[in-house]
Amino acid sequence: MGSQEALPGYRKFAQQKKEALRSTPTKQKTLAKQAACSEATVSNIFTAKTAPTEAFARAYARAIGSAPDSEWEEWRSAWENRFQQEGPAVTAAEDQSRGKRFRNPKFLIPSALGTVLLAVAVVLTMSPGKHPSSSCTLTSCRGKEPNDYCKVGVQTVGEQDRPSPGPITVQVRWNSKCEAAWAKAWGDYVKSGDKVTVSVEGGASESMKVKYGHDQHTAMVPRTETQRVRACWERGHDQVCTSWTPA
């Protein structure tokens, strides 16, 4: 985050999450162990100093009894928008004044022009390397990056955890709109050189070699809801795989 601090809205969000955890038997030390991170990292996440990880969000979801996918999306979205300033409260008098202004014809043209300029600005500032969510389907998704094409509406349809000799979680991720799946592996045990693979029974497969970090995923493969799929993590003869799903 550098010298820039998150605005009060995000700090309030993180504090409320911390308070929710206090109402459960789970302590921060236990949460840190389940999220495969240090207790200091958990403390920094709750004080808006450190970005939340997916492992943290999922461990937190298990602690408070919420849906892991929804919890991670909520934390991720809040963090990405942490520098957005909340608008000031509008009094009744100000609201009435605004209504009079926008009913006055002399304010209508500038207002409409501003809307048009804003729309043009959005189009011009869109990064050419990014793609709208769900912009591919089945075979057109093959080999594509899920975060660029199928970020919205993601589900975890298969998962396998292994706590030792080091924590690792392997998941099958799937997007019903895209009809595409991919493998995800995360945890402190994941390291450079490991292999992550997603396989559709009787269909396509995609693999990737981990280059850095402890949270990696493959490109997508086409997969309908009824096709069986599984995800695997490998290091030499060591392997962790999900079950084929649906069973």
Side-chain angles (χ1 to χ4, degrees):
M1 286 173 49
S3 60
Q4 191 175 14
E5 292 186 357
L7 290 171
Y10 180 80
R11 292 200 295 272
K12 182 179 179 181
F13 164 84
Q15 183 61 35
Q16 288 174 338
K17 291 292 188 180
K18 183 178 180 179
E19 292 299 323
L21 182 69
R22 285 177 176 170
S23 66
T24 74
T26 304
K27 305 298 182 183
Q28 286 194 33
K29 184 176 182 179
T30 305
L31 182 63
K33 185 176 181 180
Q34 294 173 347
C37 66
S38 68
E39 194 172 351
T41 297
V42 170
S43 178
N44 286 338
I45 290 173
F46 280 132
T47 53
K49 296 176 182 177
T50 299
T53 64
E54 183 169 355
F56 164 83
R58 289 182 175 278
Y60 178 86
R62 289 192 289 268
I64 68 170
S66 66
D69 286 348
S70 299
E71 195 67 49
W72 165 232
E73 180 62 25
E74 188 177 357
W75 276 97
R76 183 195 61 76
S77 178
W79 176 261
E80 289 181 353
N81 296 291
R82 65 193 182 280
F83 298 130
Q84 291 186 8
Q85 178 67 59
E86 295 180 351
V90 179
T91 66
E94 289 173 331
D95 191 46
Q96 186 178 17
S97 174
R98 286 181 181 180
K100 291 179 179 178
R101 285 183 62 217
F102 287 106
R103 286 193 298 270
N104 190 325
K106 72 179 182 180
F107 290 109
L108 293 179
I109 294 178
S111 176
L113 180 60
T115 301
V116 172
L117 291 176
L118 178 61
V120 172
V122 169
V123 172
L124 292 177
T125 54
M126 285 181 65
S127 170
K130 298 294 181 182
H131 307 276
S133 296
S134 301
S135 59
C136 66
T137 306
L138 284 173
T139 55
S140 65
C141 292
R142 174 74 188 269
K144 287 185 169 65
E145 164 59 46
N147 285 332
D148 286 347
Y149 288 84
C150 301
K151 191 173 182 178
V152 177
V154 179
Q155 297 173 277
T156 299
V157 296
E159 182 171 294
Q160 182 63 50
D161 294 306
R162 193 182 73 178
S164 62
I168 180 172
T169 298
V170 181
Q171 297 174 327
V172 176
R173 307 281 272 169
W174 186 63
N175 187 302
S176 59
K177 277 191 174 182
C178 293
E179 292 190 283
W182 59 97
K184 179 180 177 67
W186 51 272
D188 280 357
Y189 198 62
V190 177
K191 69 176 186 178
S192 176
D194 293 353
K195 183 180 179 181
V196 183
T197 304
V198 60
S199 304
V200 174
E201 192 173 49
S205 66
E206 284 283 344
S207 296
M208 63 86 64
K209 280 287 186 72
V210 177
K211 294 181 180 179
Y212 58 87
H214 305 287
D215 189 337
Q216 301 292 331
H217 61 267
T218 67
M220 295 185 287
V221 291
R223 180 251 177 183
T224 63
E225 189 170 7
T226 57
Q227 285 182 292
R228 282 156 52 92
V229 60
R230 77 169 182 173
C232 289
W233 162 93
E234 299 174 65
R235 182 188 300 162
H237 297 294
D238 193 9
Q239 185 181 66
V240 178
C241 292
T242 67
S243 300
W244 287 98
T245 183

